[in-house]
Amino acid sequence: MPVVQSGRPEVAAGKRHMHRTVRWVHVSELADIAQMLQGGELILTTGIALADTEEELREYVAALATAGASGLIIELGRRFTTPPTSLIRACTRRQLPLIVLHRPVEFVRLTETVHTQILHEQMAALQLSERAHATFTALSVDGASVTDIVREAAHMVRAPVVFEDLMRRVLAYEPAGRPVDMLLQRWDVRSRAAQSRARTAVCGPEEWAVTSVEANGDVFGRLIMLPAHRATSEELMILERAATALTLNRVLERDRTAIEIHAQRSILTDLIDGRYRSEGEIHSRAASLGISLGKRQLVAVVVDGLAHPGDGATGDRLQAVARALEAAGIVALLTTLSNGTVGILIALDTAGQTPATVTRLATQLRLLSPQKPPLIGMADPITGLDAVRGAFSEALHITAAARAHPEDKLYFQLPDIRLRGLIYTFADDPRLQAFVERTLSPLLEFDARHRTDLTAVLRVYLEHRANKTEAARAARLSRQSFYERLATIARILEVDLGSGEVCTSLHAALMGWESRQHPDS
């Protein structure tokens, strides 16, 4: 500054520490001024009250350094004509910048000039903070997307900004004029090199400005600025404001989804259970969610065994299915059914749209659980609301029967599960239950009394009737042991296992028994 230059300033010690921030400028001739400091002050003095001894000068400097002073400026002429060597050594040892003024300077003008600049910068920072707060709050209130928030952050800092998840996958970015291929090149490696324990920091070999994005104490991503220079405090502040907007975006999105799912569950559960006064009531409630059920082809779908990264609660499964529906571009109602599966009612213009629609949904659901794809059962399309309950009953039976199906299909329909599907459909019929008991009860009672597994052996035999060797291998038994157990089964049931009709009856009875072991509703 001109006012400082007029005093012919010279840095006498601590040249490597001149980058320190000056929070305030304080004029003092007191030797014990350190006890009044809060840190960040630049001390101006003529030195008239400073001691002569080396030990006292060393204590003076040590006290300033301990208090966090930014530096010391001493004006020569009134107390010292040259800076004391002991003072220079003490400042060098304590890494405290020491500047000497060889000509008199009006300290009042100096402090006034510096304080005016400090206050101006603080006011500018405050105005920028308010503008950033207003900008990102408005974006959040308007329901701006993650991309919108990232783009605005990049615009305000005039540098590329990237939002990544915890797997270092880029979720959104704004290159700010930089080539995208260069911006994202080897992103995973570069991102892992920029680590910091602090929530917001400048880190890594490229000096990225990084801040964590978190909700309810859980970090779910990082917002990163790649400036051409070391990020300023103002830029870090903008980055933090943008991160807060991303957090609010996530919370609001979750709340919005949760509210919509709750409304959908209420409608579909009432529809399945018959808790409505008129079809017009259901139509109106669904229309309020943007779903038209009138004069449409309605498809009941059941999703079973969906493995989701959340805690496995109902809300996690429903939100996962809701996201899959949205990604597949499908408008539908969904709810949880009594056995914990997810029920979906899809409304289509024509029945011919069903295969392609359910295929898109199944594909999206498999992306959520690639290691263990969910089972999906689909009933035949219906047209009236009064048939919805029956359609879901059919879809539940199909899904339950599909558990034993050897093929891995995107979804199952009644023709896919053949006899098992028919039996599962009539699982609650007393006549089927009586048939199962009459056919299998002697064997089931024998297993219970003797703690044997002959029922499982019979199942393996019936599933491999064309090849007894394969059946024995599947049962993990020697052929001799397998044949002996088959003989025991034939004796207990008093049947000929070589008869095709007998084996068909036994297989049907086993399917009926299994339908009760794994109820679908």
Side-chain angles (χ1 to χ4, degrees):
M1 296 178 178
V3 65
V4 180
Q5 288 295 312
S6 65
R8 287 178 54 197
E10 175 191 357
V11 180
K15 288 184 179 181
R16 291 192 301 172
H17 305 283
M18 295 289 288
H19 63 275
R20 290 179 179 171
T21 300
V22 175
R23 184 182 60 81
W24 204 246
V25 176
H26 192 70
V27 179
S28 176
E29 301 295 350
L30 298 177
D32 59 352
I33 184 60
Q35 63 182 336
M36 303 178 187
L37 304 182
Q38 296 180 355
E41 295 91 351
L42 175 62
I43 305 302
L44 302 182
T45 182
T46 62
I48 58 175
L50 293 184
D52 292 319
T53 67
E54 180 175 349
E55 181 179 355
E56 288 176 310
L57 287 175
R58 187 166 60 247
E59 290 177 354
Y60 173 71
V61 171
L64 291 180
T66 301
S70 296
L72 173 66
I73 294 181
I74 184 169
E75 182 185 271
L76 301 179
R78 300 192 185 186
R79 175 71 172 80
F80 303 109
T81 56
T82 59
T85 302
S86 55
L87 183 64
I88 294 175
R89 282 201 300 265
C91 287
T92 300
R93 185 162 47 249
R94 297 307 297 251
Q95 300 179 347
L96 182 73
L98 171 64
I99 298 96
V100 295
L101 301 175
H102 291 277
R103 289 180 180 176
V105 170
E106 295 182 32
F107 282 174
V108 172
R109 284 184 56 208
L110 194 156
T111 56
E112 181 181 20
T113 302
V114 173
H115 291 167
T116 298
Q117 180 171 329
I118 290 175
L119 292 175
H120 175 76
E121 291 177 355
Q122 290 178 346
M123 181 60 68
L126 180 61
Q127 291 174 341
L128 179 61
S129 176
E130 290 179 348
R131 183 163 68 88
H133 174 73
T135 298
F136 290 115
T137 299
L139 286 173
S140 299
V141 171
D142 292 341
S145 67
V146 169
T147 301
D148 293 333
I149 295 171
V150 171
R151 183 182 298 118
E152 184 59 35
H155 173 72
M156 293 189 73
V157 298
R158 299 179 182 178
V161 174
V162 176
F163 177 45
E164 66 173 16
D165 65 12
L166 300 182
M167 298 291 289
R168 317 291 172 175
R169 294 176 298 192
V170 174
L171 304 179
Y173 66 89
E174 173 54 49
R178 187 179 299 186
V180 175
D181 56 345
M182 293 182 61
L183 174 68
L184 303 181
Q185 186 178 33
R186 299 175 62 252
W187 180 263
D188 178 81
V189 176
R190 294 162 63 205
S191 174
R192 293 184 187 282
Q195 297 286 355
S196 173
R197 293 187 178 181
R199 180 182 178 185
T200 303
V202 175
C203 54
E206 298 180 59
E207 293 195 325
W208 286 358
V210 179
T211 188
S212 299
V213 185
E214 56 187 68
N216 300 321
D218 295 324
V219 177
F220 63 89
R222 298 199 307 170
L223 192 60
I224 300 169
M225 179 179 66
L226 293 79
H229 54 270
R230 187 177 179 86
T232 65
S233 58
E234 289 78 14
E235 289 169 335
L236 292 177
M237 177 273 298
I238 291 173
L239 204 63
E240 289 180 339
R241 294 287 189 183
T244 301
L246 290 172
T247 297
L248 188 56
N249 171 278
R250 182 181 176 92
V251 172
L252 290 176
E253 183 66 22
R254 280 187 168 182
D255 288 346
R256 181 186 67 79
T257 302
I259 292 171
E260 288 184 2
I261 289 175
H262 178 76
Q264 291 181 23
R265 288 182 67 184
S266 176
I267 296 171
L268 188 51
T269 300
D270 288 350
L271 184 54
I272 294 173
D273 295 341
R275 294 196 302 263
Y276 57 94
R277 288 189 294 265
S278 66
E279 290 194 359
E281 173 190 319
I282 294 293
H283 286 308
S284 297
R285 290 170 63 186
S288 68
L289 295 178
I291 302 173
S292 173
L293 300 179
K295 297 181 180 180
R296 308 290 296 281
Q297 294 289 322
L298 305 179
V299 182
V301 176
V302 171
V303 180
D304 184 23
L306 178 64
H308 185 252
D311 60 12
T314 296
D316 286 324
R317 292 196 299 274
L318 288 178
Q319 291 212 12
V321 174
R323 285 195 293 272
L325 287 166
E326 183 177 4
I330 301 172
V331 177
L333 296 172
L334 72 160
T335 188
T336 48
L337 303 174
S338 57
N339 65 343
T341 57
V342 176
I344 307 169
L345 185 65
I346 303 173
L348 301 172
D349 293 329
T350 65
Q353 296 174 300
T354 304
T357 302
V358 180
T359 295
R360 292 202 311 273
L361 172 61
T363 301
Q364 290 297 326
L365 288 173
R366 287 194 170 213
L367 293 177
L368 294 176
S369 181
Q371 301 300 323
K372 185 184 177 184
L375 281 173
I376 299 176
M378 182 187 79
D380 288 335
I382 58 175
T383 55
L385 297 184
D386 56 349
V388 168
R389 180 182 180 85
F392 273 103
S393 178
E394 178 183 327
L396 280 164
H397 289 311
I398 292 170
T399 306
R403 295 189 187 112
H405 200 283
E407 290 185 59
D408 177 23
K409 296 174 64 69
L410 285 176
Y411 61 90
F412 291 87
Q413 295 177 271
L414 199 54
D416 296 320
I417 51 177
R418 303 181 182 89
L419 177 60
R420 185 182 297 273
L422 178 64
I423 291 174
Y424 273 59
T425 301
F426 292 101
D428 296 326
D429 193 305
R431 290 170 293 182
L432 175 62
Q433 295 171 7
F435 166 72
V436 171
E437 285 298 310
R438 185 171 60 251
T439 306
L440 293 179
S441 59
L443 186 63
L444 296 173
E445 291 169 5
F446 183 91
D447 275 345
R449 283 198 310 270
H450 300 282
R451 297 184 179 181
T452 54
D453 60 351
L454 294 180
T455 304
V457 172
L458 176 61
R459 181 190 299 108
V460 173
Y461 169 69
L462 295 173
E463 291 174 349
H464 297 80
R465 271 201 71 223
N467 193 325
K468 290 186 179 181
T469 302
E470 287 295 327
R473 185 179 295 114
R476 297 184 177 180
L477 296 170
S478 67
R479 282 190 295 178
Q480 182 179 350
S481 297
F482 189 72
Y483 293 158
E484 289 175 355
R485 297 190 187 192
L486 287 180
T488 302
I489 293 171
R491 187 181 69 254
I492 293 171
L493 295 178
E494 300 180 352
V495 296
D496 177 11
L497 292 180
S499 167
E501 183 177 349
V502 167
C503 288
T504 300
S505 296
L506 289 173
H507 207 172
L510 272 175
M511 291 179 187
W513 179 69
E514 289 168 354
S515 73
R516 302 314 305 155
Q517 302 309 303
H518 305 285
D520 49 76
S521 61

